[in-house]
Amino acid sequence: GPPPDTQLRQQRFGTCFPLLLPSRVVALLLGFGIVFVVIGVVLIVGAASVFEVEVRYDERCCKAFCDEPERRQDYNPCYLNFTVDEDVDPTVYLYYKLESFYANHRQFVRSRDDGQLYGTKDLLPNLLDCEYDRNFAVEGIEKTSFGTYRVGGQYNVLSNVISPCGLIAKAWFNDSFEILRGDEVVALDETEISWKTDRVLKFENSGDGSTGNNFPPFRPWKEAPCSVLRNDSEVERCTDAQREAFEGWCKQLDDKDVRDACAASEPSEWRQWSNA
């Protein structure tokens, strides 16, 4: 039968046909123009009040063959000092910048296992999806990107998992910074430098304690006591994990881990390191 005789089904809604008189159009354009001018002035004034110091130090750490990337040798460690002569009001934000780092390359973006980073338990090597890089320790047959590991028996066991696996995990920014006011060391806050949704929804320790297995950057934390953790909840989780006979405790994935695990869309990028 015919559709119901309603305003919606019969398309009898009221309509508005404004008359575009010259006076109305001019007034509307002037109104929008004034609003955007005010917004622009506020943004310019805010940007002018920002004091920024950019220090490039990659060349200052070069030891030999600086113009030959394949043979280049750097001082390791490399210590650099620079002085800021202006008075800087808090809060001070520290960023690091990478150039010509193509983190959006297909082979890099796909070389990770989201389930592993989310903390899914009992992910054996044959269940991981870290393309273009090894995700388990092999018995000296091949070298992984983190070195050659010798394991006995079959490879498909939890202790052989490299966690986190993949090229993204290998791209670890490990430079460190320190701010001094005279001889006084300024405390740095390294929390909340990544998106909260990433910390809450995308990255987590595995409940079986496998996070950090065969992964050198996490080794000091795997061997560290619970007392070094930042807050009571982390200490409690660490203690519970050790009580349940996990093979060492891996620190909770913190803001820096989450920040470095998120691939950037541009070859040149700024990432926040800490606040002071």
Side-chain angles (χ1 to χ4, degrees):
D5 187 17
T6 62
Q7 294 286 86
L8 175 64
R9 300 297 293 272
Q10 297 299 331
Q11 300 184 15
R12 291 198 296 263
F13 285 109
T15 56
C16 178
F17 296 98
L19 297 177
L20 300 179
L21 299 177
S23 58
R24 296 179 180 177
V25 174
V26 171
L28 186 64
L29 292 177
L30 286 176
F32 277 110
I34 293 173
V35 170
F36 285 113
V37 166
V38 172
I39 294 175
V41 170
V42 171
L43 293 177
I44 291 174
V45 171
S49 64
V50 174
F51 177 73
E52 180 178 335
V53 177
E54 182 175 344
V55 178
R56 180 163 184 165
Y57 58 87
D58 53 343
E59 296 301 330
R60 295 169 64 180
C61 288
C62 182
K63 182 179 180 180
F65 307 110
C66 300
D67 297 328
E68 304 178 40
E70 295 181 357
R71 301 177 60 195
R72 173 172 168 148
Q73 299 176 10
D74 289 317
Y75 293 101
N76 188 16
C78 176
Y79 297 97
L80 297 173
N81 298 316
F82 62 92
T83 303
V84 178
D85 297 324
E86 301 287 338
D87 291 332
V88 181
D89 297 326
T91 303
V92 178
Y93 300 95
L94 273 70
Y95 287 79
Y96 69 88
K97 183 180 181 181
L98 302 177
E99 293 184 347
S100 301
F101 183 72
Y102 293 86
N104 60 347
H105 193 282
R106 178 177 180 271
Q107 291 189 4
F108 185 80
V109 173
R110 290 180 59 86
S111 188
R112 58 185 287 171
D113 187 272
D114 291 324
Q116 186 186 62
L117 295 174
Y118 180 67
T120 304
K121 295 173 60 176
D122 302 324
L123 284 177
L124 300 177
N126 66 337
L127 298 177
L128 296 176
D129 182 27
C130 282
E131 292 194 23
Y132 310 105
D133 193 38
R134 283 295 183 185
N135 53 33
F136 58 89
V138 296
E139 193 176 2
I141 300 173
E142 297 181 53
K143 290 185 178 180
T144 72
S145 59
F146 297 112
T148 301
Y149 297 88
R150 296 190 176 276
V151 296
Q154 57 182 352
Y155 82 89
N156 196 39
V157 293
L158 195 61
S159 61
N160 290 345
V161 170
I162 294 179
S163 176
C165 66
L167 299 176
I168 289 183
K170 187 181 178 182
W172 200 268
F173 184 81
N174 60 358
D175 290 8
S176 59
F177 306 96
E178 187 176 65
I179 298 180
L180 299 176
R181 185 189 294 116
D183 295 330
E184 177 189 358
V185 178
V186 178
L188 300 180
D189 182 7
E190 299 175 4
T191 61
E192 297 187 6
I193 58 175
S194 60
W195 291 104
K196 183 178 179 180
T197 51
D198 287 342
R199 298 194 303 269
V200 174
L201 301 177
K202 294 177 62 178
F203 299 91
E204 183 61 75
N205 262 9
S206 177
D208 57 20
S210 61
T211 305
N213 281 357
N214 301 313
F215 186 67
F218 277 17
R219 184 172 295 119
W221 286 93
K222 293 282 283 188
E223 299 171 353
C226 298
S227 59
V228 302
L229 296 175
R230 286 194 300 262
N231 55 57
D232 294 339
S233 63
E234 291 183 353
V235 172
E236 182 179 356
R237 293 187 62 185
C238 173
T239 306
D240 291 342
Q242 292 182 348
R243 186 182 301 120
E244 296 174 15
F246 287 154
E247 296 180 1
W249 168 255
C250 169
K251 73 183 178 78
Q252 191 70 17
L253 293 174
D254 61 18
D255 291 59
K256 288 185 177 181
D257 306 323
V258 174
R259 175 204 63 198
D260 292 340
C262 296
S265 59
E266 300 292 335
S268 295
E269 56 170 319
W270 291 85
R271 294 197 176 191
Q272 190 172 356
W273 195 84
S274 67
N275 307 322

